[in-house]
Amino acid sequence: MSIKVYLKKKKDNPPPLRNRTSRPGGGRASHTHTCHSENQSDLLILRSQFFSFFNLAHAQFILKMAAVQGGMVDEKEEVDIKTEPQSDGLMNTNATDGRQLSPSPSSSSSAGSSKSAAGAPEDQQTLLAVLQFLRKNKLTESVEILRREAGLPEDALDTKGADCSAPSSGGTAGGVDGLDAGSLLSRVAVSSSAGTPAPTKAVADDQPDVSVVLSAYSQQGDPALYKVYYSDLKKFIESVLDCHRAELSQVFYPLFVHMYLELVYNNHESEAKAFFEKFSGDQECYYEDDLRVLSSLTKKEHMRGNETLLDFRTSKFVLRISRDSYQLLKRHLQERQNNQIWNIIQEHLYIDIFDGMPRSKSQIDAMSGSLAGEAKREANKAKVYYGLLKEPEIEVPLDDEDEEAENEEGKPKKKKPKKDSMGSKSKKQDPNAPLQNRIPLPELKDSDKLDKIMYMKESTKRIRLGRENLPSICFYTFLNAYQGLTAVDFTDDSSLIAGGFADSTVRVWSVTPKKLRKVKSAADLNLIDKESDDVLERIMDEKTASESKILYGHSGPVYGISFSPDRNYLLSCSEDGTVRLWSLLTFTCLVGYKGHNYPVWDTQFSPYGYYFVSGGHDRVARLWATDHYQPLRIFAGHLADVTCTRFHPNSNYVVTGSSDRTIRLWDVLTGNCVRIFTGHKGPIHTLAFSPNGKFLASGATDGRVLLWDIGHGLMVSELKGHTDTVYALRFSRDGELLASGSMDNTVRLWDAAKAFDDLETDDFTAATGHIHLQDNSQELLLGTYMSKSTPVVHLHFTRRNLLLAAGSYAA
Amino acid sequence: MAEERRQKQCSVTLPTESMKAMAESVGVGQLQEESCVALSEEVSYRIKEIAQDALKFMHHGKRRKLTTSDIDNALKLKNVEPLYGFQSQEFIPFRFASGGGRELHFYEEKEVDLSDIINTPLPRVPLDVSLKAHWLSIEGVQPSIPENPPPATKEQQKTESTEPLKVVKPGQEEEGAIQGKGQGATAPDGKGKEKGSIRLKPRSTHELSVEQQLYYKEITEACVGSCEAKRAEALQSIATDPGLYQMLPRFSTFISEGVRVNVVQNNLALLIYLMRMVKALMDNPTLYLEKYLHELIPAVVTCIVSKQLCLRPDVDNHWALRDFAARLMAQCCKTFSTTTNNIQINTFFFFFRLSSWLDEKTQWTARYGCIAGLAELGPDVIKTLILPRLTVEGSRIKAVMEGSVVSNIDKIGAEHVQSLLLKHCASVIAKIRPQPDTVEQYRTDYGYLGPMLCSHVIKARTQAALQAQQVNRTTLTITQPRPTLSVSQSGLSGSGGPRTPSIIKVPSSLTLMSPRPGTPSQPSPPATKYIVMATSAGTASTQQVITLSSSQSASPVTSTVPSATSTLQPLVKVESGSGPGLAASRPLQKYIVVSLPPSASSSLEPKSSVLSTSVSSTPLDPGIKLERSESPGVSTQSPH
């Protein structure tokens, strides 16, 4: 395969690495690593990109590369599997992906040059840059191989090397001409992350260049006129036709913010204050939190290092406005020669113009509220394979003992559903499902198979829930926790419960009569008969049996906790910046994953195990594999803390919720953001996928629960009722009901099936993303259950659809 | 509202005086005004930033309350060393002081004697985290078990009974607020709310589930059954279980019917049991009885004034029942009297009319009940209604006691009435009548009962004086310019160094409120006196306070003085005029702090003086400390 192909594909498929380089504002000072500081993981990604797109991947090559990486042999398998689907499946994704349409300055320059100088020399240059990069990282063998593959003369690199001697460490912005690794990387990062309309400054430096970012504010008009401009615009918008007013009113908030910041930047403190006082009251109430931050910011010096501010600057505020309304606004501003406002709109706002009817106030309100405006329409166009993976076919042994236990009536009943559940899943491949091996998944072990069998058996006894058939709720109250309970998780089979506490401990309880036992010590293990049938029993040390175990290791409050599907591991993440993997056989810490240097707010295991995702205060979510000490993917794009992370049931996607009041869905394979959902008015604290993978529920501090259709990228419903932060959401096993738990001490049950049935997915709605929400929260609310004084922190449906809730009693 | 708040947020900065004060404290004198302004703005901004980050930690900690550790974590985020030493959850150790035109918050650090700490027994280890499961809902229905909140809160029951049109389901009350806050569009919200309220049906029937029916049967049987242990359990259940709301109408019918039948049958025992049920119902904090008072009050009143309550009035102690019922009635009046139902006034007039109709022919039993009922309503009622009648009653009693043709029953009745009158009137007279008490004077004023009253009053007075003495010894004169006392946890400052007089520390988290600031170190009459006294946990606090002021029985005070000595030692010197009743300190104690305005305690007044504080080195009893911090019964009261 020619190198041209490689390059093209390379451009189409930006590696996750791009994320890091493309967001100057998102990364934080001390841990926005340069390419080199993390070169190993970068290379890992880079390498897998090579392989998957190059298709040069013959075994020897891979093996050698893997050897170079040392100890990461697993990756080889992953890569092997990956190469296959890449050629067709991935290309499709990119064909429908409109992200190339939003080129960033840096990438456009480099991409443009590559186009002009199309042909061999350009390709060769790029390749040289790759080689240079590899060499700099002392991967001589890979260099050798690649060079041989490309058929380059040995001295080519050396001659070029002189040119490229300037190291790329400082984050080569778009202006760098020299062809070094950095510029290659920035070229690779052609398409900026879907949701980040930020200009790609490729500042991978330690310090996001605040002065560069802020300098946009240096242009200034007469500070006294700001008020006049603003109120003039206000008057105009208030006087336009009703149908346009709601749309144009969206402009107020971003304009207000930017004008205020301009005033502050140019040291007009008193004017800024007066401006703020005069107009802050007009803003929508859901921006109150941001306004509070702004209000405290009155000096130019404060702007440095203020994150909220950087968000406003680095990311354009996205508005969706119909063409008519936009024309109206444009005409007005031009007539009035109101350049100040026009400049701000040009520079800091991204106006997503659509043709058709202007949206109504309620439509706009439903979608607005996020830190950086709505999602752009094209951001939600990518295809998402939301279907479930085919269940592996497992022969269910018709074990006699179980059937004997059942009475005669039970027999026929039991067999039927078993066949159904097996048949429906295994026969047809869901057209919306990703390929089985789209991402490599761990192989099933015998114990997993046993567990699957158990699961199927249990699911036959499952109660069908619905409007008439509400579940029972068992509430687990943590007593004497003194408000220290910060996270809870149940195992899927509901046999164990774990709690993370503010005192840095993790505690695991057994909810069944089966006690928790440790494995015997190595010396004792030597003594047991390894051939015996009950070897798994024998390795356990009876002396250590107890109902609960405490895991010590963190040095800060534990904010997230997750059991592995096979119940052998437990993940916990903490304020101390680490994610820890604990063994539930030895009850010791196995690994501490360091990467987030700031508090990690949430973590979760993939439904298939092996992978896990974490998200934290550093605004990125990371995908890890348990046997790699560094992340496989970094999902960057959120403008504020990533507060919660969830895996899609098919493990191909990860969803993250953030304090910037958006929800993003990320493709695990490519690292791209494929969905952005806006509409929440407060930081999102919990997320839940429906069991069929089609829908998503999210809960936030505003007390509302929103339901989303992943395939169409639309809001489906809004469930109002909670009066405080929603901390827990869970769909029943059959997806009929949604349970939500909140700080207001209630568990509420919602008719999810009805909400999804009511969904109108006509082409128009799907195309424009304009939704009409009915206010039917009261109809969908099936039950409200108050606890005495226990905020609900976690919810879980057992395999038989009994709802378990957990929280700590707040006296 | 929001706008105002926002503007406020915008402008709030630390005062420049604070900057100066801080600068001085680190040795920088003469700070320029401009630098102060610049500093205060910078500092305010940084503090706000930190507070916002701290909020994040609070949210992730799933708490509603911001703690010091959140601030620490927020500081860590900024790479600032956290402030160590502020780990305590509840207690913020800043004190406030003002003087010389300055207001200051400062952190009070005291010298602590290490030996005190070493010698203090260790406090109890806090309980470990444990897990408890209960059913929040069973197939969509929330069971009424103690773990769950009562199906209808007391407030709801109250609104339901007082304003039946405004019935709201639990959990829906605050809906409007959050919706308004969370959403710009108000129109759909209003609609949704309306829809919700339309769907509600007024709760007219009280259907009982099978379990509830079983429970009701069991409870009622146990209450009137023969087994005392079972009865105690049943009454306990009635008094504490939260889910009885549904059964309330049945209970009230049960009681009223039961009284009706048993009065006719003169079944004293059953009547007592039924009254105890009433008492238990009234004690249940989750029940709002007002809707059922029309059934309960007649039953109770019947038990007070009925002519005959038992088969053998000469032997059975039906007097106790009358007393008990009268007390219930008084409690009823106190709790449920509102301007709309006027229970208090109605009861009052009922007894009053009854008593005015009483004549020679009235049974002594009814007379007794009537007087008891009135007397329980309080000293004011005694003063206005009973005292004027003393002469008449006295003559009647005299007629019985000294008459010849009198049945035994009448005689017993007369005796009881007499002792009842003496008991209730003596304390009242002692208060309103100036000394000296002469028998002759009393005889002319009160007739036959005069002499006996006189002796009772004298007794009461001496007791009161004794009490006052004790009380006076425990009086703190608080040298505190502010009416509020901040009370802190540390009771250990026994080092004997010169203590700042500005702040009084009581080892508990009480906040004492005094109506008027006391003047330091001056025995001026208007100074409010704080009487800190310890009473045993079991007894009702209100009673104790009243007895204290009415100076009837000195027993609670005498017995608890020593414990006050040991626990409050850093602040209060109790020169215990140790009587024989000074037992060892009890492990369970509650502190009742009474503030007595001078008018109420005339007897105390002349003796009010400053106390020199001295310190004894008795270590603090940790048991007491613990109890106090947990006990909800710590109360602050001020009888008028």
Side-chain angles (χ1 to χ4, degrees):
Chain A
M1 189 169 289
S2 79
I3 292 166
K4 232 185 221 170
V5 175
Y6 152 65
L7 277 172
K8 250 185 209 155
K9 286 192 177 171
K10 193 76 181 160
K11 237 176 273 169
D12 290 347
N13 272 292
L17 186 68
R18 175 250 322 131
N19 283 328
R20 196 178 301 117
T21 53
S22 64
R23 283 207 63 254
R28 262 159 228 263
S30 60
H31 56 92
T32 315
H33 298 280
T34 61
C35 310
H36 304 287
S37 68
E38 273 192 329
N39 56 43
Q40 205 160 16
S41 69
D42 288 346
L43 273 175
L44 200 93
I45 296 159
L46 200 68
R47 190 188 38 142
S48 67
Q49 295 286 340
F50 279 146
F51 297 153
S52 24
F53 311 130
F54 227 14
N55 267 357
L56 296 168
H58 43 81
Q60 189 208 3
F61 186 55
I62 292 163
L63 267 174
K64 277 193 182 163
M65 280 296 270
V68 168
Q69 294 296 319
M72 295 191 176
V73 186
D74 291 88
E75 193 64 17
K76 175 203 69 177
E77 291 153 25
E78 186 184 330
V79 167
D80 273 340
I81 302 162
K82 234 189 245 173
T83 47
E84 231 272 274
Q86 220 71 88
S87 43
D88 46 12
L90 209 81
M91 285 304 282
N92 288 343
T93 326
N94 289 303
T96 54
D97 193 341
R99 262 166 292 122
Q100 282 117 303
L101 296 176
S102 60
S104 44
S106 68
S107 53
S108 62
S109 64
S110 54
S113 68
S114 77
K115 251 174 235 160
S116 63
E122 171 64 20
D123 291 345
Q124 206 172 37
Q125 272 188 334
T126 314
L127 193 67
L128 281 172
V130 174
L131 288 171
Q132 178 74 21
F133 181 72
L134 290 174
R135 212 164 74 141
K136 211 159 71 158
N137 292 293
K138 303 199 172 50
L139 300 164
T140 41
E141 256 182 278
S142 333
V143 172
E144 241 351 78
I145 293 161
L146 193 62
R147 194 180 53 74
R148 226 180 299 138
E149 293 279 345
L152 285 174
E154 199 152 341
D155 57 353
L157 196 58
D158 297 328
T159 51
K160 282 287 171 190
D163 303 344
C164 318
S165 54
S168 61
S169 62
T172 38
V176 176
D177 293 321
L179 256 183
D180 56 3
S183 76
L184 171 80
L185 287 176
S186 67
R187 181 182 314 178
V188 162
V190 161
S191 54
S192 91
S193 122
T196 322
T200 312
K201 295 234 165 64
V203 182
D205 200 352
D206 272 9
Q207 189 71 34
D209 198 346
V210 182
S211 54
V212 170
V213 167
L214 291 178
S215 60
Y217 282 134
S218 57
Q219 47 146 338
Q220 56 166 313
D222 183 358
L225 286 178
Y226 275 61
K227 265 194 205 174
V228 180
Y229 289 145
Y230 189 85
S231 44
D232 183 50
L233 184 73
K234 196 172 146 189
K235 223 176 281 165
F236 161 70
I237 289 178
E238 273 163 7
S239 68
V240 297
L241 285 176
D242 281 357
C243 61
H244 299 300
R245 192 185 301 151
E247 283 208 317
L248 292 180
S249 301
Q250 299 175 79
V251 178
F252 281 137
Y253 176 67
L255 265 187
F256 169 79
V257 172
H258 285 292
M259 288 174 88
Y260 177 75
L261 291 179
E262 254 181 47
L263 284 172
V264 171
Y265 182 78
N266 294 312
N267 288 323
H268 304 300
E269 191 180 338
S270 56
E271 280 93 350
K273 269 185 180 163
F275 183 78
F276 189 90
E277 262 167 48
K278 181 143 191 228
F279 299 112
S280 66
D282 300 343
Q283 312 306 329
E284 299 281 0
C285 53
Y286 39 79
Y287 293 121
E288 204 177 319
D289 287 345
D290 292 338
L291 287 176
R292 203 178 301 143
V293 175
L294 275 184
S295 75
S296 63
L297 191 135
T298 53
K299 290 215 186 306
K300 190 178 173 183
E301 302 85 71
H302 295 166
M303 297 175 89
R304 190 171 289 273
N306 187 305
E307 288 144 11
T308 316
L309 172 96
L310 281 174
D311 293 335
F312 276 116
R313 284 297 304 114
T314 54
S315 54
K316 286 191 176 185
F317 198 94
V318 182
L319 300 172
R320 268 191 222 177
I321 292 184
S322 70
R323 190 171 295 284
D324 294 349
S325 305
Y326 180 70
Q327 293 297 347
L328 216 58
L329 178 71
K330 197 170 163 187
R331 213 177 308 136
H332 167 81
L333 291 175
Q334 279 169 352
E335 271 170 22
R336 291 299 181 95
Q337 302 272 306
N338 201 338
N339 285 330
Q340 200 72 30
I341 288 184
W342 185 241
N343 280 343
I344 292 179
I345 291 181
Q346 293 275 304
E347 261 179 53
H348 304 306
L349 268 55
Y350 180 96
I351 297 186
D352 195 359
I353 300 164
F354 63 89
D355 294 304
M357 285 281 288
R359 292 186 297 167
S360 69
K361 172 88 178 139
S362 61
Q363 278 177 314
I364 292 169
D365 274 336
M367 300 297 287
S368 58
S370 129
L371 198 64
E374 294 180 44
K376 281 185 256 182
R377 266 174 305 156
E378 61 259 36
N380 287 339
K381 289 280 189 275
K383 167 122 178 101
V384 174
Y385 302 98
Y386 55 79
L388 300 183
L389 293 178
K390 208 166 59 176
E391 287 293 319
E393 293 194 35
I394 298 167
E395 291 169 35
V396 179
L398 291 171
D399 46 344
D400 308 65
E401 28 176 313
D402 202 45
E403 259 168 66
E404 273 167 32
E406 304 265 316
N407 51 18
E408 285 98 304
E409 284 169 87
K411 269 187 194 171
K413 265 188 199 167
K414 212 179 128 216
K415 277 180 191 168
K416 258 192 185 171
K418 201 181 281 174
K419 269 179 199 160
D420 284 352
S421 62
M422 286 287 289
S424 62
K425 271 178 196 161
S426 52
K427 267 174 203 159
K428 268 181 285 164
Q429 168 81 19
D430 186 342
N432 289 313
L435 284 178
Q436 202 70 16
N437 47 6
R438 187 163 178 266
I439 63 162
L441 293 172
E443 270 182 32
L444 282 184
K445 287 178 288 189
D446 286 350
S447 59
D448 296 332
K449 285 179 183 157
L450 280 176
D451 199 54
K452 280 258 177 326
I453 294 166
M454 276 302 291
Y455 175 76
M456 278 173 206
K457 267 191 215 156
E458 290 246 20
S459 57
T460 57
K461 294 175 191 160
R462 180 182 295 164
I463 303 162
R464 272 203 77 80
L465 297 178
R467 189 164 266 276
E468 305 302 322
N469 219 350
L470 294 178
S472 300
I473 308 172
C474 181
F475 203 109
Y476 285 93
T477 310
F478 288 79
L479 299 171
N480 309 319
Y482 303 109
Q483 305 229 325
L485 182 74
T486 44
V488 178
D489 194 32
F490 286 94
T491 52
D492 188 66
D493 68 348
S494 316
S495 63
L496 301 177
I497 179 171
F501 291 85
D503 61 1
S504 319
T505 57
V506 175
R507 289 161 196 258
V508 185
W509 280 268
S510 167
V511 199
T512 55
K514 203 175 149 195
K515 299 241 167 116
L516 299 173
R517 293 168 301 177
K518 284 186 195 175
V519 170
K520 285 177 185 164
S521 68
D524 292 338
L525 282 178
N526 268 336
L527 300 175
I528 58 174
D529 174 16
K530 284 162 194 85
E531 302 303 316
S532 70
D533 291 338
D534 60 344
V535 67
L536 286 177
E537 262 310 298
R538 290 194 184 195
I539 59 171
M540 294 309 205
D541 189 353
E542 277 306 321
K543 273 177 283 180
T544 58
S546 68
E547 259 176 35
S548 81
K549 295 259 185 241
I550 307 179
L551 306 173
Y552 297 103
H554 280 296
S555 60
V558 179
Y559 289 119
I561 211 166
S562 176
F563 280 106
S564 72
D566 59 3
R567 295 188 296 284
N568 285 332
Y569 303 102
L570 177 71
L571 274 175
S572 65
C573 66
S574 156
E575 186 269 337
D576 62 14
T578 61
V579 180
R580 279 176 186 271
L581 181 75
W582 308 85
S583 162
L584 296 182
L585 293 173
T586 58
F587 291 96
T588 51
C589 184
L590 300 177
V591 197
Y593 299 94
K594 290 170 189 171
H596 298 275
N597 284 337
Y598 286 93
V600 190
W601 297 131
D602 199 9
T603 185
Q604 202 207 9
F605 254 115
S606 149
Y608 294 88
Y610 184 61
Y611 299 108
F612 66 93
V613 63
S614 68
H617 179 67
D618 57 2
R619 307 174 176 203
V620 294
R622 285 161 203 252
L623 180 87
W624 311 74
T626 47
D627 54 358
H628 288 60
Y629 68 94
Q630 286 190 314
L632 302 181
R633 296 285 184 276
I634 294 179
F635 305 114
H638 277 297
L639 300 176
D641 302 30
V642 176
T643 48
C644 52
T645 54
R646 284 288 171 275
F647 256 101
H648 190 275
N650 68 18
S651 196
N652 277 261
Y653 294 91
V654 162
V655 70
T656 56
S658 162
S659 303
D660 67 8
R661 306 187 285 271
T662 60
I663 298 159
R664 282 168 186 259
L665 187 74
W666 308 87
D667 192 333
V668 166
L669 180 68
T670 63
N672 287 339
C673 175
V674 289
R675 288 286 180 272
I676 303 176
F677 297 127
T678 60
H680 270 297
K681 319 291 189 228
I684 289 136
H685 272 278
T686 178
L687 294 160
F689 279 102
S690 68
N692 60 11
K694 268 174 102 169
F695 301 102
L696 175 72
S698 60
T701 52
D702 57 9
R704 298 179 318 151
V705 175
L706 298 181
L707 301 178
W708 309 91
D709 181 339
I710 295 168
H712 296 95
L714 293 176
M715 191 191 294
V716 174
S717 189
E718 179 187 13
L719 308 175
K720 286 184 282 191
H722 283 294
T723 57
D724 210 332
T725 310
V726 181
Y727 275 122
L729 281 172
R730 191 59 75 114
F731 281 93
S732 66
R733 293 279 175 162
D734 43 15
E736 296 281 317
L737 290 185
L738 174 68
S740 63
S742 152
M743 197 72 187
D744 64 9
N745 302 342
T746 57
V747 174
R748 285 170 203 252
L749 298 175
W750 310 88
D751 193 341
K754 187 168 185 298
F756 297 140
D757 285 347
D758 293 351
L759 175 65
E760 18 169 334
T761 46
D762 51 281
D763 293 336
F764 176 74
T765 320
T768 58
H770 300 171
I771 39 147
H772 301 269
L773 285 184
Q774 310 141 286
D775 187 46
N776 52 357
S777 297
Q778 286 303 321
E779 286 165 47
L780 296 178
L781 179 63
L782 299 182
T784 302
Y785 306 98
M786 288 267 282
S787 66
K788 249 181 174 171
S789 181
T790 314
V792 186
V793 171
H794 191 76
L795 290 166
H796 176 80
F797 274 97
T798 65
R799 288 170 175 178
R800 301 187 191 186
N801 263 340
L802 171 72
L803 179 58
L804 306 179
S808 84
Y809 183 71
Chain B
M1 271 304 279
E3 286 163 45
E4 281 170 35
R5 220 170 51 228
R6 229 178 262 162
Q7 283 179 14
K8 227 178 158 188
Q9 284 160 1
C10 181
S11 57
V12 168
T13 47
L14 289 173
T16 48
E17 287 80 36
S18 310
M19 293 302 123
K20 272 188 189 148
M22 280 176 223
E24 277 166 28
S25 71
V26 294
V28 181
Q30 299 303 315
L31 207 63
Q32 297 264 316
E33 189 62 30
E34 280 163 36
S35 13
C36 278
V37 172
L39 264 178
S40 79
E41 277 177 7
E42 179 67 16
V43 170
S44 318
Y45 171 70
R46 297 296 163 199
I47 288 180
K48 281 177 194 171
E49 231 181 17
I50 287 165
Q52 258 148 17
D53 278 339
L55 216 60
K56 217 175 252 177
F57 284 96
M58 182 191 81
H59 275 301
H60 282 281
K62 302 185 168 84
R63 276 175 280 116
R64 280 199 194 84
K65 200 193 263 174
L66 193 75
T67 63
T68 48
S69 62
D70 292 334
I71 308 270
D72 285 350
N73 287 334
L75 285 172
K76 262 200 239 167
L77 271 194
K78 306 242 168 247
N79 275 331
V80 181
E81 183 136 345
L83 300 167
Y84 296 105
F86 295 97
Q87 290 301 334
S88 157
Q89 302 260 324
E90 302 291 326
F91 166 63
I92 293 163
F94 291 107
R95 294 279 158 275
F96 177 78
S98 63
R102 276 219 197 163
E103 292 185 336
L104 261 185
H105 290 270
F106 65 94
Y107 177 52
E108 192 177 54
E109 284 173 302
K110 285 187 175 175
E111 278 180 30
V112 179
D113 196 346
L114 270 181
S115 64
D116 276 0
I117 296 177
I118 293 163
N119 293 332
T120 309
L122 288 172
R124 261 192 306 176
V125 177
L127 295 168
D128 195 17
V129 182
S130 61
L131 207 56
K132 184 180 191 301
H134 74 267
W135 291 107
L136 186 68
S137 152
I138 295 170
E139 286 170 5
V141 183
Q142 188 161 32
S144 303
I145 48 174
E147 285 86 351
N148 286 330
T153 62
K154 203 164 178 182
E155 279 66 43
Q156 272 175 297
Q157 294 175 34
K158 190 171 177 177
T159 42
E160 196 184 323
S161 57
T162 50
E163 293 164 87
L165 290 175
K166 274 170 73 183
V167 184
V168 201
K169 254 191 189 168
Q172 282 186 342
E173 301 98 310
E174 289 164 278
E175 201 174 40
I178 188 81
Q179 281 178 350
K181 194 179 143 206
Q183 251 236 345
T186 45
D189 293 349
K191 212 174 79 197
K193 207 179 174 191
E194 263 172 38
K195 241 194 249 165
S197 57
I198 287 166
R199 273 175 59 219
L200 297 177
K201 271 185 281 174
R203 234 185 310 237
S204 50
T205 52
H206 290 258
E207 279 170 29
L208 295 192
S209 63
V210 181
E211 294 84 2
Q212 281 173 318
Q213 287 173 27
L214 283 174
Y215 173 84
Y216 173 76
K217 194 161 160 271
E218 282 289 316
I219 287 281
T220 46
E221 276 173 10
C223 276
V224 296
S226 53
C227 173
E228 184 58 37
K230 251 189 172 177
R231 178 163 29 253
E233 260 175 55
L235 291 174
Q236 173 74 16
S237 163
I238 293 178
T240 53
D241 271 357
L244 300 183
Y245 172 64
Q246 299 272 311
M247 278 172 261
L248 207 48
R250 283 169 174 79
F251 275 125
S252 89
T253 314
F254 177 81
I255 289 166
S256 85
E257 289 297 315
V259 169
R260 197 172 300 170
V261 170
N262 287 302
V263 161
V264 174
Q265 295 190 347
N266 292 326
N267 194 337
L268 181 66
L270 278 179
L271 287 173
I272 291 175
Y273 299 153
L274 290 170
M275 285 302 111
R276 284 171 71 183
M277 271 180 85
V278 177
K279 171 96 174 110
L281 282 175
M282 285 176 64
D283 286 347
N284 190 322
T286 63
L287 294 180
Y288 187 74
L289 289 179
E290 194 181 30
K291 260 172 114 177
Y292 309 99
L293 287 181
H294 66 280
E295 283 187 314
L296 294 178
I297 287 188
V300 174
V301 172
T302 306
C303 289
I304 302 175
V305 296
S306 175
K307 277 182 202 150
Q308 200 174 357
L309 291 171
C310 50
L311 286 171
R312 293 169 302 164
D314 47 340
V315 188
D316 294 334
N317 188 5
H318 57 98
W319 313 106
L321 172 62
R322 288 172 202 277
D323 282 340
F324 182 73
R327 231 169 286 143
L328 270 183
M329 195 63 222
Q331 194 188 339
C332 225
C333 290
K334 264 192 217 113
T335 357
F336 299 109
S337 187
T338 61
T339 45
T340 42
N341 61 21
N342 285 327
I343 294 178
Q344 176 120 33
I345 296 171
N346 284 337
T347 324
F348 173 79
F349 276 108
F350 169 75
F351 286 121
F352 181 63
R353 242 175 284 143
L354 201 64
S355 63
S356 60
W357 290 335
L358 294 177
D359 53 24
E360 294 303 326
K361 285 174 211 155
T362 328
Q363 291 272 348
W364 284 103
T365 47
R367 199 187 299 276
Y368 180 93
C370 179
I371 294 168
L374 278 174
E376 290 292 341
L377 290 177
D380 286 340
V381 178
I382 296 175
K383 193 168 111 186
T384 48
L385 284 184
I386 300 182
L387 293 189
R389 294 182 58 85
L390 273 179
T391 338
V392 188
E393 295 299 331
S395 61
R396 277 191 197 137
I397 293 167
K398 184 183 176 190
V400 175
M401 303 295 255
E402 291 168 8
S404 48
V405 276
V406 179
S407 71
N408 193 26
I409 296 173
D410 277 351
K411 199 162 181 181
I412 296 171
E415 272 168 17
H416 272 97
V417 171
Q418 183 185 324
S419 60
L420 181 77
L421 283 171
L422 292 175
K423 187 173 99 189
H424 284 294
C425 294
S427 57
V428 178
I429 291 171
K431 243 188 245 167
I432 61 168
R433 228 181 127 93
Q435 281 178 319
D437 307 309
T438 53
V439 179
E440 290 314 306
Q441 193 63 40
Y442 271 80
R443 194 190 294 281
T444 49
D445 282 359
Y446 303 116
Y448 171 72
L449 290 172
M452 276 176 278
L453 263 180
C454 181
S455 63
H456 269 83
V457 168
I458 291 167
K459 218 167 125 206
R461 277 196 213 279
T462 50
Q463 271 173 2
L466 194 76
Q467 215 167 10
Q469 229 175 359
Q470 301 282 7
V471 161
N472 207 22
R473 292 222 175 108
T474 55
T475 300
L476 301 174
T477 308
I478 286 161
T479 53
Q480 169 76 357
R482 293 176 301 120
T484 315
L485 284 187
S486 330
V487 177
S488 82
Q489 207 84 26
S490 77
L492 275 176
S493 63
S495 59
R499 225 191 325 279
T500 38
S502 58
I503 281 144
I504 291 285
K505 286 191 163 190
V506 178
S508 138
S509 53
L510 297 175
T511 308
L512 306 178
M513 300 291 294
S514 78
R516 229 171 312 187
T519 332
S521 318
Q522 277 165 26
S524 54
T528 317
K529 287 183 282 292
Y530 290 94
I531 299 159
V532 181
M533 59 178 222
T535 64
S536 66
T539 46
S541 51
T542 336
Q543 295 275 352
Q544 297 278 350
V545 172
I546 288 166
T547 30
L548 176 70
S549 54
S550 62
S551 48
Q552 203 185 31
S553 129
S555 58
V557 175
T558 42
S559 65
T560 51
V561 165
S563 52
T565 325
S566 62
T567 53
L568 299 174
Q569 35 93 359
L571 340 147
V572 189
K573 151 101 199 246
V574 184
E575 287 163 2
S576 29
S578 324
L582 300 174
S585 61
R586 302 177 193 177
L588 293 180
Q589 304 233 322
K590 279 180 190 168
Y591 286 85
I592 295 168
V593 178
V594 189
S595 95
L596 294 175
S599 62
S601 56
S602 55
S603 58
L604 302 179
E605 194 142 11
K607 290 181 185 172
S608 83
S609 63
V610 194
L611 271 179
S612 62
T613 46
S614 85
V615 174
S616 74
S617 59
T618 333
L620 211 96
D621 186 348
I624 291 166
K625 199 170 151 196
L626 265 175
E627 164 62 22
R628 223 177 305 108
S629 51
E630 284 159 20
S631 147
V634 176
S635 58
T636 312
Q637 297 192 349
S638 60
H640 31 78

